[in-house]
Amino acid sequence: MKVAGIHHAYGGRVVLRGVDVELPRGSLVGIVGENGAGKSTLLKVLAGELRPDRGVVRHEGRFGYCPQQVVLNDAFTVRQHLELFRTAYSLRDLRRAEEIMEVLSFREYAQERVGALSGGTRQKLNLTLALMHDPDVLLLDEPYQGFDWETYVRFWELAVQLRTAGQSVLVVSHLAYDVDRLDVLWRLEEGVLCAGAGVVS
């Protein structure tokens, strides 16, 4: 994925002022910034949910997007969500989704209605839906909110596995956690990514 010259404003409030970033294959990249810095806006632009005022976003291959706000139907079960997305992704089966559910330890909730799930379990489903079609690029906005420590560790193990498999993962957060796992850490300040900030050796 390559991003060049992204600008975006809400009315007179400029949020992004020319963001340039490249996400190479097999990379695990982090973007941090204070609340209100424009991180979620940037991810929405990268995912195609929001059109930038100026700039170009180029995707190569499939991408998955896990937004900060979980968008699920409380009346549907976990399994119904998986079947709905299986159809949307034109997948033959749910094998990959079941693998991810096993890693995140929530397969036993398959028949539960989403409205009855805890925030952390809803987030597990949110992440599974973004990953079940095995995307080349995965965009994650505060992906581990609500996770207990064990699930948090499993999340990072999964992210490293994806990188090893040649997939690219972008994690956006307001705090820099586990920076030693990242290839590059960027900081979003005043609408731009600080070039070279937080490069992990």
Side-chain angles (χ1 to χ4, degrees), residues 113-171:
R113 294 192 182 277
V114 166
L117 301 178
S118 68
T121 304
R122 289 166 66 92
Q123 185 64 7
K124 291 178 184 181
L125 175 57
N126 198 34
L127 183 57
T128 301
L129 296 176
L131 264 173
M132 60 185 285
H133 62 305
D134 216 20
D136 300 293
V137 175
L138 183 62
L139 308 174
L140 305 174
D141 193 355
E142 302 283 0
Y144 29 67
Q145 59 183 354
F147 284 176
D148 57 29
W149 177 252
E150 180 181 352
T151 306
Y152 176 78
V153 171
R154 286 173 175 261
F155 161 78
W156 280 110
E157 291 173 349
L158 179 59
V160 171
Q161 290 172 11
L162 295 172
R163 176 181 61 184
T164 302
Q167 294 159 273
S168 303
V169 182
L170 176 61
V171 178

Side-chain angles (χ1 to χ4, degrees), residues 34-178:
E34 297 179 356
N35 290 331
K39 303 182 304 298
S40 293
T41 297
L42 176 58
L43 265 197
K44 288 178 181 179
V45 170
L46 300 187
E49 184 179 340
L50 184 65
R51 183 184 296 275
D53 298 330
R54 299 202 311 272
V56 177
V57 177
R58 290 191 176 92
H59 283 287
E60 296 179 359
R62 303 177 305 277
F63 77 91
Y65 173 44
C66 186
Q68 182 176 1
Q69 297 298 323
V70 178
V71 182
L72 302 171
N73 189 319
D74 286 349
F76 286 5
T77 65
V78 169
R79 182 81 182 189
Q80 287 172 326
H81 278 86
L82 297 177
E83 289 290 353
L84 180 65
F85 275 72
R86 181 187 67 79
T87 301
Y89 289 138
S90 300
L91 300 177
R92 296 180 60 183
D93 55 48
L94 292 174
R95 187 176 307 170
R96 180 57 176 153
E98 290 170 350
E99 290 174 356
I100 298 165
M101 292 175 71
E102 186 69 33
V103 170
L104 297 177
S105 298
F106 79 112
R107 287 190 67 174
E108 67 271 22
Y109 293 95
Q111 301 305 324
E112 294 285 339
R113 294 192 182 277
V114 166
L117 301 178
S118 68
T121 304
R122 289 166 66 92
Q123 185 64 7
K124 291 178 184 181
L125 175 57
N126 198 34
L127 183 57
T128 301
L129 296 176
L131 264 173
M132 60 185 285
H133 62 305
D134 216 20
D136 300 293
V137 175
L138 183 62
L139 308 174
L140 305 174
D141 193 355
E142 302 283 0
Y144 29 67
Q145 59 183 354
F147 284 176
D148 57 29
W149 177 252
E150 180 181 352
T151 306
Y152 176 78
V153 171
R154 286 173 175 261
F155 161 78
W156 280 110
E157 291 173 349
L158 179 59
V160 171
Q161 290 172 11
L162 295 172
R163 176 181 61 184
T164 302
Q167 294 159 273
S168 303
V169 182
L170 176 61
V171 178
V172 169
S173 178
H174 67 287
L175 294 173
Y177 294 118
D178 282 307

Side-chain angles (χ1 to χ4, degrees), residues 28 30 32 176 179-180 182-187 194-201:
L28 183 47
V32 297
V179 295
D180 57 316
L182 301 173
D183 298 309
V184 179
L185 176 65
W186 298 88
R187 180 171 294 279
C194 298
V199 176
V200 180
S201 58

